Amino acid sequence: MARLAPVLAALPLLLPVLAYAQSSTMAGGPSFKVQKTNRIQFDYRQTSRSEAIDGRYVKNFQIVYGIYKDFELAADTDFDGSNRLGAKYSVLIDAKQKLRFGIGANDITEDPDVYLGLVKDFDGYEIHAGYLESNEGQGFIGYRRRLTPELRFTVDHSTGSRGRTAARFDYALTEHWLLDARHYFPNDSTRDRTHRFGITYAMDLGK
């Protein structure tokens, strides 16, 4: 309980800005894994409104916390009134096959947007596949691979006219600091391609 004290103490401050929280993400959609127990991360991201690199970025701040074994909470704000809370549960269903089932929801305090699926670990990479309730229902598949000890690549795809293909690179600067860059390719060719830059700080509470 002592490890939870800093988070519990901060909750009254977070509640007014609880936001879109799909904690551990892939490139454009959710991961079906969860944050390690007692690990907390702080993410700051800027997402473009178009393909151009200019000053018109949507800013986003998120907190993700592995509150208990196989369970995480996340909260974020875009500093412009869009504030929601999310939660996710992921359980190992076949240790030999390294297969997990995950289920989560965004905006759980208002109108939950549910997603669920499976993730399987292979030697050096992992595959995610599932269903997203958003945008009248979407299929989802993702691939993640560590290229070097510091560099990781992720690509995923969601179906439908509002779906997209997304690619992501993460680079670990240190044990605690991480940079990431993403590019989004909408299925609908009339919509703009966009990109995102982010920085993350993560730490284990109680250490």
Side-chain angles (χ1 to χ4, degrees):
M1 193 67 185
R3 292 181 177 179
L4 293 179
V7 176
L8 295 176
L11 277 178
L13 301 176
L14 291 175
L15 285 173
V17 292
L18 288 176
Y20 182 83
Q22 60 177 46
S23 16
S24 346
T25 62
M26 294 289 281
S31 165
F32 297 115
K33 291 184 173 180
V34 293
Q35 186 74 273
K36 187 174 71 173
T37 304
N38 289 322
R39 188 166 182 82
I40 190 167
Q41 72 181 52
F42 304 90
D43 305 312
Y44 176 77
R45 296 167 181 150
Q46 293 195 161
T47 306
S48 69
R49 300 175 187 271
S50 67
E51 199 164 13
I53 298 178
D54 53 27
R56 300 183 308 117
Y57 283 83
V58 176
K59 298 175 178 62
N60 169 271
F61 176 73
Q62 177 171 268
I63 298 174
V64 182
Y65 179 54
I67 195 167
Y68 194 69
K69 183 179 183 296
D70 300 329
F71 182 72
E72 70 184 11
L73 288 176
D76 89 20
T77 181
D78 64 1
F79 306 105
D80 195 28
S82 178
N83 306 308
R84 289 175 286 178
L85 170 69
K88 181 165 48 175
Y89 176 72
S90 176
V91 61
L92 185 66
I93 58 176
D94 190 325
K96 184 177 180 180
Q97 295 296 323
K98 299 180 182 179
L99 186 66
R100 300 186 71 91
F101 170 76
I103 183 169
N106 303 315
D107 201 11
I108 62 176
T109 58
E110 296 289 340
D111 182 20
D113 181 11
V114 178
Y115 54 88
L116 55 87
L118 298 170
V119 52
K120 179 174 170 56
D121 284 295
F122 297 87
D123 291 335
Y125 66 97
E126 59 192 58
I127 298 290
H128 297 241
Y131 172 79
L132 316 179
E133 188 182 36
S134 58
N135 299 318
E136 300 181 351
Q138 295 174 287
F140 176 81
I141 188 166
Y143 168 86
R144 171 168 281 167
R145 186 180 192 93
R146 189 165 293 282
L147 303 177
T148 72
E150 298 83 15
L151 184 63
R152 186 175 65 177
F153 171 70
T154 306
V155 62
D156 61 40
H157 176 76
S158 54
T159 63
S161 61
R162 296 190 61 80
R164 61 188 177 183
T165 297
R168 170 181 178 175
F169 284 96
D170 299 282
Y171 186 80
L173 295 172
T174 69
E175 178 186 357
H176 299 288
W177 289 98
L178 178 84
L179 298 177
D180 79 84
R182 315 182 196 196
H183 204 86
Y184 305 112
F185 305 87
N187 296 346
D188 182 350
S189 60
T190 64
R191 296 171 58 204
D192 287 333
R193 295 179 179 181
T194 57
H195 54 270
R196 169 183 281 187
F197 304 110
I199 185 168
T200 294
Y201 178 79
M203 62 180 289
D204 293 318
L205 297 181
K207 283 192 174 182

